[in-house]
Amino acid sequence: MTDAYAVFGNPVAHSKSPLIHAAFAAQTGQDMDYVALLAPLDGFSDAVAAFRSMGGRGANVTVPFKEQAFGLATRLTARARAAGAVNTLKFDADDVLGDNTDGAGLVADLLGNLGFALAGKRILLMGAGGAARGVVFPLLEQSPASLFIVNRTPDKAIGLAREMAGAGGNLSGGGYDALNGRFDLLINATAASLAGDLPPLPADVFAPEALAYDMMYGKDTPFLAFARAQGARVADGLGMLVEQAAAAFEVWRGVRPLTAPVMRMLREA
Ligand code: ATR
């Protein structure tokens, strides 16, 4: 019998995950099916329960349900606990494993696809919401020289840095007016790109050879245009999307798919 998987979100129609997982399944010869399911804003856990009762084996979870998925899990991986959010669920009888592959996806894209080593680098993480929270621990694991979380509401950045202090490393947070010096890697994890806005970044934050990374994908963002104008190298979040999917696929199927051909397919589409 074909194993069933789904991505739950609201909205979810735009999701590229069904395309990505279909490509992974074809590539690795796994007998599985993967669909996008729209869950009502107040009906996430019911939607997941219905899917499980029909034999669903696992799910991805996207906005705005990642915190609720965290609550649904009976067992959490360390990286999901650190993120306080779950993007991958695996169902085995009564067991619901909650994992979070977003941070691993970002790190795999940086190291593997972009060839950008993180050890010893000065990193600026913009934003202090769910998207930022999910990547702090995996970034710190790579031993950067420092990680500064900057946010429009400074207290949220300071609070997030404090909360994550247990991970060790040179981690701090503040507002845009507290930015100090130049950064080797600047990651936009704010919702500003969605609204076509540029976070209030000064022009002199880019170190020579800096990489500017926007978690959003599919179109040039004001942040990437600004970074390019300052001479920085730029990358959008398509690689992170495909890498987090590959990591989820491995959690479910125990097989690691190749990501490069799938990234190429999405870029050409
Ligand atoms: P997500 O789950 O995508 O991280 P979120 O939790 O709503 O979404 O967080 C959105 C983040 O984008 C926040 O850090 C927010 O800053 P505030 O905490 O000050 O609200 C940030 N953000 C949204 N619009 C922004 C803008 N125009 N400029 C800078 N930061 C912005």
Side-chain angles (χ1 to χ4, degrees):
M1 217 182 85
T2 303
D3 289 337
Y5 296 86
V7 54
F8 290 91
N10 189 328
V12 79
H14 66 283
S15 174
K16 295 200 185 304
S17 293
L19 206 63
I20 294 170
H21 284 283
F24 287 163
Q27 182 202 112
T28 57
Q30 296 284 309
D31 185 15
M32 59 186 277
D33 199 46
Y34 186 111
V35 295
L37 294 177
L38 179 73
L41 287 174
D42 61 351
F44 171 68
S45 69
D46 287 348
V48 171
F51 181 65
R52 285 180 71 192
S53 72
M54 289 167 57
R57 300 293 305 274
N60 282 133
V61 181
T62 186
V63 177
F65 299 125
K66 291 184 187 183
E67 282 79 18
Q68 285 184 56
F70 182 91
L72 220 72
T74 57
R75 211 154 49 87
L76 290 163
T77 61
R79 59 191 184 183
R81 197 169 289 119
V86 156
N87 79 332
T88 303
L89 293 166
K90 183 171 182 249
F91 312 126
D92 285 301
D94 288 339
D95 186 62
V96 180
L97 175 70
D99 198 355
N100 192 315
T101 63
D102 285 332
L106 171 65
V107 169
D109 192 33
L110 289 166
L111 298 182
N113 302 326
L114 297 164
F116 191 90
L118 295 168
K121 297 287 166 60
R122 292 194 70 200
I123 304 178
L124 179 67
L125 179 61
M126 299 150 59
R133 172 179 296 269
V135 301
V136 172
F137 263 65
L139 286 171
L140 287 173
E141 271 175 0
Q142 298 299 317
S143 309
S146 61
L147 175 57
F148 189 77
I149 304 171
V150 66
N151 197 45
R152 189 173 58 179
T153 312
D155 281 353
K156 274 170 69 181
I158 294 165
L160 181 57
R162 242 181 232 143
E163 201 182 309
M164 299 274 175
N170 184 358
L171 174 67
S172 51
Y176 286 88
D177 57 0
L179 285 176
N180 175 17
R182 295 174 186 271
F183 296 88
D184 304 302
L185 172 63
L186 301 93
I187 301 168
N188 188 7
T190 72
S193 299
L194 282 174
D197 290 338
L198 177 69
L201 265 187
D204 62 357
V205 284
F206 300 92
E209 326 260 314
L211 174 65
Y213 192 102
D214 203 310
M215 285 195 189
M216 202 168 113
Y217 60 86
K219 65 172 185 186
D220 205 31
T221 66
F223 168 62
L224 293 186
F226 179 69
R228 200 181 290 114
Q230 312 309 319
R233 181 184 170 199
V234 302
D236 75 358
L238 189 82
M240 176 177 174
L241 175 77
V242 176
E243 294 294 345
Q244 64 76 29
F249 190 91
E250 191 176 12
V251 168
W252 296 325
R253 312 299 300 184
V255 189
R256 181 92 191 173
L258 294 176
T259 50
V262 178
M263 283 173 60
R264 219 174 301 126
M265 172 191 82
L266 291 175
R267 292 253 184 246
E268 282 162 10

